[in-house]
Amino acid sequence: MRPIANTILTGALILLLGSALACALAIPQADNSPLVATRSGTSTEDTTYILPIWEGALASHDPAKDLAVLEDMKQLLGVGGSKTKLGWSFSSWALSRDIQDATQDYNFNPTNLKYMLDLAVKAGLPILVHMNNGRWADCCTPNSDGGWGDLLLDFIASKPDTTMLDSTGASQFGHNYGSNYFTLSRLNDAYRNYKKRNTEDSARVIAEWAKANPSLFAGVSLSSETIYPKQNVDHNPLATAEWKMWLRNTDIYGPGGEYFGAGRVPAFDDINEFNTATGQSFASWDSVIPPAQVVPGDVFAEEWERWRIQMIINHVSDETLWIASAGIDRNLIFGHATPRVDDYTYADSIETATAANGAGGVTYYGWNPADFGKVNNPLRGVGKNNWGVFELNPLTTNSAVSYNNLLNLYNDGVKIICPNSWEGDSVVKDQYAIFGSPQWGDTFGNNIKQFLLDHGNNPRDLQPTSWNPGNKVYDLYDHFDVATKSGIDNHLEPAGTVGNVVRKSILSHVEGVLTYSIKLPDVSSGERLNFWTSVGIKDGAGIGGEVQFQVTINGKGLFGPNFHLNPNYWLWKRWVPIMVDVTDWAGQTISLTLHTTGNTRYGWTIWGSPAIYLATGGTGTAVGASNNLALGASVSTSSEAGTAWRSPFVTDGSGSAWSSVSHPTAEATEWVVIDLGSSKNIGKVVAFPREDLSTSSGTGFPTAFEIQSSDSVEGPWNTLLSVNDYPHPRAGDGQVLTFPSTAARFVRIYATVLSGVGSEATYRFQLAEVEIYS
């Protein structure tokens, strides 16, 4: 949860605190039936949960006393209403407090978890469980009783090459205060085997309880704040060895490896190629060692930084896999990251905050609510339509700031807020206490109470998925000619590429300003307007400096103070999608401005498909699903792997996947053709990789392909976009590909370089779904 002592993060008034998170998928081979899971939506889409963190309950307690604490919480805060509900959150400590002894090989002991789940039923309170089995695994807080054991953690740490090391070889592992730093390498079997087993066992208990008590289950969050302690970590030899496998697509990332199809794209074929790309002179792969420090803008250091971020993404994805495979819906598995405090020190890039094919989540301490937009809106763009804040405390006596922490998150579409912490049973309270904080008094508690009173019966605003924000009402690309422009270079890129992902784009070199006058439509009850774009650095740019993106409406910034890209985005180019609710301006004529600032050297800043959308839909549904032109359309494919992987799955909305037959080499041709029934105007294809795999296991998504259109199934085919060296996507993560609007009846995805599938040795083309939009 959070430490007794403050841990101030460099350059920010934010405290590193911990809770938990988890998410998952399963990895069947291509000749097995795929696991089916929905990509978006829950049965409680219109509900917001306020779930204070209380870690004080324990099975050895008198249940009446623990229930009295929860009743006191209900009395002091109120229970909200039918749409914004008070509940409670707590941790499952499956590597420390809640384990058997060494004679039982430290197996998970469910006694405390079952006791707390039973308390939730007796109290009638919804709950979320923080799967706290990461660096905060033995964390202790003053309102927590029973203590945390270090037996298993110390046992793991005693094994060779299990803990994070800095560049001097010093171990970063310690006790308490978020110091359980084990290397995140997938080669760290001693750590991963225990964490996987005990996480799955605890998740099974939760899943069984949730099945019996669905109205009380809000979800789980992953291990709290998976980060590195400083820039010169992790130099564990397993982390370095896996890095070299990933760079070359060999061993566990090569044919037959568990993560085949999830290595670097493009891979380095030999050491000379690597040396040329990074400015090094290593004699062989065996002699490659990471840089001692991450120096922003240094090509070699940035390649290493890419791997540091990738290891966190991999670990988050694997933890998700373990939890989901135990029976918890991935839509109810939330990330739990620091809010992009320092990409280089902690490697907490925005991509690390979202569970694999699940939901996103962060922690906020001492934040100005006006700054939330630089994290909340990318979370909405990167993840699904659900996200949460799993530790929140404004740390202020300013009542307006405290209330607006809750209100701004609510207006941004948050699903779950976990105020930290409830200390009603503590004799001595610390600064995080919701009531009775020595520094902040009752400010936060009083404002939670007021918020629940104000919003208890207000349904959560409709949240579209990021890949389908609704029906397009204004396309900034299409109206580029009427925009007022200034700056070095502003022009259209019909096939703008960032990291080899193609989107019709507007290139606006740093210091560029584009202003549009837009008449927004009125909205009816339940409808929402959202601005969607993606930002990045255009392919071909050399190493530049940090830049900031901002969108304003009538002078108000939509991205908080701004959204920044550091030099790593020049080496490892990738789009960052961002979605912002702009319903407050419905019916108005607005002045909307795109603006970039920062270092102009290689300042090839690019806006991917910026547009405003109108979303409609109902509770528990995927918003705007009716605008998917491909839904239910007939499909033909070049081949099928069998009855479990049939062509119709590509457009039936089920989540089941189609697979081609296997090929001995990646250079093979496979295709999918979708018949829209008649000629339609199209401008976006969203291709979903297999979604039954973990985030970073190979999904069979091609690395070279074209999207083509035709008026006849026989052709000729027009190329709408073409890509090479397409990066391996996360499982189930819709790949948004846009192009200038065109009319077509038939749409073909024509793959010429295929990808691997986890644990197979051959290559396939696989898709869970294809959606097509105007």
Side-chain angles (χ1 to χ4, degrees), residues 537-613:
I537 305 300
K538 181 186 174 182
D539 286 348
I543 295 288
E546 181 162 316
V547 298
Q548 297 82 37
F549 291 79
Q550 184 59 277
V551 178
T552 62
I553 293 182
N554 298 344
K556 180 179 179 180
L558 302 187
F559 297 176
N562 60 61
F563 184 79
H564 73 276
L565 297 184
N566 59 46
N568 185 254
Y569 285 83
W570 271 257
L571 176 95
W572 177 22
K573 295 181 175 68
R574 68 262 199 205
W575 288 110
V576 179
I578 303 176
M579 187 165 69
V580 189
D581 192 311
V582 296
T583 311
D584 285 348
W585 289 279
Q588 300 179 31
T589 297
I590 62 169
S591 176
L592 185 150
T593 298
L594 308 179
H595 188 200
T596 55
T597 56
N599 194 312
T600 58
R601 175 176 168 77
Y602 286 113
W604 299 2
T605 43
I606 193 167
W607 300 86
S609 305
I612 295 173
Y613 295 84

Side-chain angles (χ1 to χ4, degrees), residues 448-508:
I448 294 172
K449 178 179 181 179
Q450 188 62 50
F451 181 81
L452 286 165
L453 282 171
D454 292 345
H455 296 278
N457 293 312
N458 296 340
R460 175 176 178 246
D461 289 335
L462 197 65
Q463 297 299 314
T465 56
S466 59
W467 62 86
N468 179 17
N471 294 310
K472 193 186 301 178
V473 298
Y474 193 91
D475 189 318
L476 277 67
Y477 178 99
D478 291 347
H479 291 86
F480 177 79
D481 288 344
V482 303
T484 301
K485 312 171 191 69
S486 65
I488 298 170
D489 180 17
N490 297 287
H491 67 265
L492 295 179
E493 294 264 351
T497 61
V498 173
N500 298 315
V501 178
V502 179
R503 290 174 187 160
K504 73 174 188 182
S505 304
I506 300 172
L507 187 143
S508 181

Side-chain angles (χ1 to χ4, degrees), residues 65-193:
K65 292 183 178 179
D66 283 341
L67 280 171
V69 174
L70 294 175
E71 290 301 320
D72 187 50
M73 180 190 296
K74 292 159 70 172
Q75 289 296 317
L76 290 173
L77 293 177
V79 295
S82 60
K83 298 301 180 185
T84 301
K85 300 181 179 183
L86 177 73
W88 163 44
S89 65
F90 56 87
S91 294
S92 173
W93 308 96
L95 294 184
S96 54
R97 185 187 66 187
D98 299 333
I99 60 172
Q100 310 281 358
D101 61 21
T103 64
Q104 301 298 312
D105 195 28
Y106 310 105
N107 273 288
F108 175 67
N109 183 339
T111 304
N112 287 316
L113 177 58
K114 288 183 175 180
Y115 171 78
M116 289 180 282
L117 294 171
D118 185 56
L119 281 181
V121 175
K122 292 176 180 176
L125 287 173
I127 58 95
L128 174 134
V129 181
H130 304 284
M131 306 295 282
N132 235 335
N133 304 310
R135 70 185 187 90
W136 291 93
D138 72 345
C139 167
C140 52
T141 58
N143 71 335
S144 303
D145 200 357
W148 286 258
D150 290 307
L151 289 176
L152 174 55
L153 299 171
D154 287 346
F155 174 74
I156 297 170
S158 70
K159 301 294 183 181
D161 299 331
T162 56
T163 67
M164 287 189 186
L165 305 178
D166 67 17
S167 55
T168 71
S171 174
Q172 304 301 294
F173 176 82
H175 291 167
N176 302 325
Y177 311 122
S179 299
N180 305 148
Y181 284 111
F182 293 103
T183 184
L184 302 178
S185 170
R186 284 169 159 163
L187 304 179
N188 187 5
D189 291 339
Y191 172 57
R192 285 169 57 86
N193 289 345

Side-chain angles (χ1 to χ4, degrees), residues 622-645:
V623 176
S626 61
N627 64 345
N628 172 16
L629 302 175
L631 185 62
S634 63
V635 181
S636 58
T637 58
S638 49
S639 69
E640 285 184 355
T643 57
W645 303 91

Side-chain angles (χ1 to χ4, degrees), residues 730-747:
R730 298 185 299 177
D733 186 14
Q735 302 300 291
V736 177
L737 301 155
T738 63
F739 41 85
S741 182
T742 189
R745 173 176 172 175
F746 296 92
V747 177

Side-chain angles (χ1 to χ4, degrees), residues 43-380:
S43 60
T44 57
E45 283 300 283
D46 60 351
T47 304
T48 305
Y49 294 100
I50 308 296
L51 309 174
I53 299 170
W54 177 51
E55 299 285 7
L58 202 64
S60 60
H61 290 179
D62 178 352
K65 292 183 178 179
D66 283 341
L67 280 171
V69 174
L70 294 175
E71 290 301 320
D72 187 50
M73 180 190 296
K74 292 159 70 172
Q75 289 296 317
L76 290 173
L77 293 177
V79 295
S82 60
K83 298 301 180 185
T84 301
K85 300 181 179 183
L86 177 73
W88 163 44
S89 65
F90 56 87
S91 294
S92 173
W93 308 96
L95 294 184
S96 54
R97 185 187 66 187
D98 299 333
I99 60 172
Q100 310 281 358
D101 61 21
T103 64
Q104 301 298 312
D105 195 28
Y106 310 105
N107 273 288
F108 175 67
N109 183 339
T111 304
N112 287 316
L113 177 58
K114 288 183 175 180
Y115 171 78
M116 289 180 282
L117 294 171
D118 185 56
L119 281 181
V121 175
K122 292 176 180 176
L125 287 173
I127 58 95
L128 174 134
V129 181
H130 304 284
M131 306 295 282
N132 235 335
N133 304 310
R135 70 185 187 90
W136 291 93
D138 72 345
C139 167
C140 52
T141 58
N143 71 335
S144 303
D145 200 357
W148 286 258
D150 290 307
L151 289 176
L152 174 55
L153 299 171
D154 287 346
F155 174 74
I156 297 170
S158 70
K159 301 294 183 181
D161 299 331
T162 56
T163 67
M164 287 189 186
L165 305 178
D166 67 17
S167 55
T168 71
S171 174
Q172 304 301 294
F173 176 82
H175 291 167
N176 302 325
Y177 311 122
S179 299
N180 305 148
Y181 284 111
F182 293 103
T183 184
L184 302 178
S185 170
R186 284 169 159 163
L187 304 179
N188 187 5
D189 291 339
Y191 172 57
R192 285 169 57 86
N193 289 345
Y194 279 109
K195 182 171 182 177
K196 177 179 185 293
R197 183 195 68 186
N198 286 17
T199 295
E200 288 178 341
D201 287 348
S202 60
R204 287 189 190 97
V205 173
I206 297 166
E208 182 179 358
W209 178 89
K211 185 176 180 180
N213 301 278
S215 65
L216 296 180
F217 184 53
V220 299
S221 72
L222 299 178
S223 293
S224 177
E225 301 170 341
T226 302
I227 60 172
Y228 303 99
K230 51 190 180 181
Q231 272 195 16
N232 64 340
V233 175
D234 179 17
H235 285 253
N236 184 295
L238 298 182
T240 301
E242 187 187 349
W243 179 42
K244 289 184 275 191
M245 296 174 187
W246 179 81
L247 288 169
R248 295 179 291 162
N249 287 203
T250 61
D251 299 278
I252 65 172
Y253 293 99
E258 184 175 358
Y259 304 101
F260 180 40
R264 189 187 189 279
V265 178
F268 290 107
D269 292 331
D270 57 52
I271 192 63
N272 293 328
E273 185 181 8
F274 179 76
N275 285 337
T276 299
T278 60
Q280 301 301 299
S281 57
F282 295 109
S284 66
W285 283 109
D286 288 342
S287 64
V288 173
I289 59 173
Q293 293 284 342
V294 176
V295 179
D298 176 82
V299 177
F300 180 49
E302 293 289 7
E303 186 67 57
W304 171 244
E305 173 66 6
R306 177 177 179 176
W307 174 241
R308 294 175 78 230
I309 296 170
Q310 189 65 51
M311 273 200 293
I312 293 179
I313 293 172
N314 290 351
H315 195 76
V316 166
S317 77
D318 292 343
E319 188 177 8
T320 302
L321 166 63
W322 302 335
I323 295 170
S325 64
I328 295 179
D329 187 336
R330 280 171 289 182
N331 295 296
L332 301 178
I333 303 172
F334 293 80
H336 189 158
T338 49
R340 203 184 177 204
V341 176
D342 188 331
D343 287 6
Y344 285 110
T345 298
Y346 308 112
D348 60 343
S349 177
I350 194 70
E351 296 92 344
T352 67
T354 300
N357 196 18
V362 292
T363 63
Y364 285 131
Y365 288 94
W367 271 57
N368 180 341
D371 293 346
F372 285 153
K374 68 181 183 180
V375 176
N376 294 353
N377 296 319
L379 270 183
R380 293 187 69 212

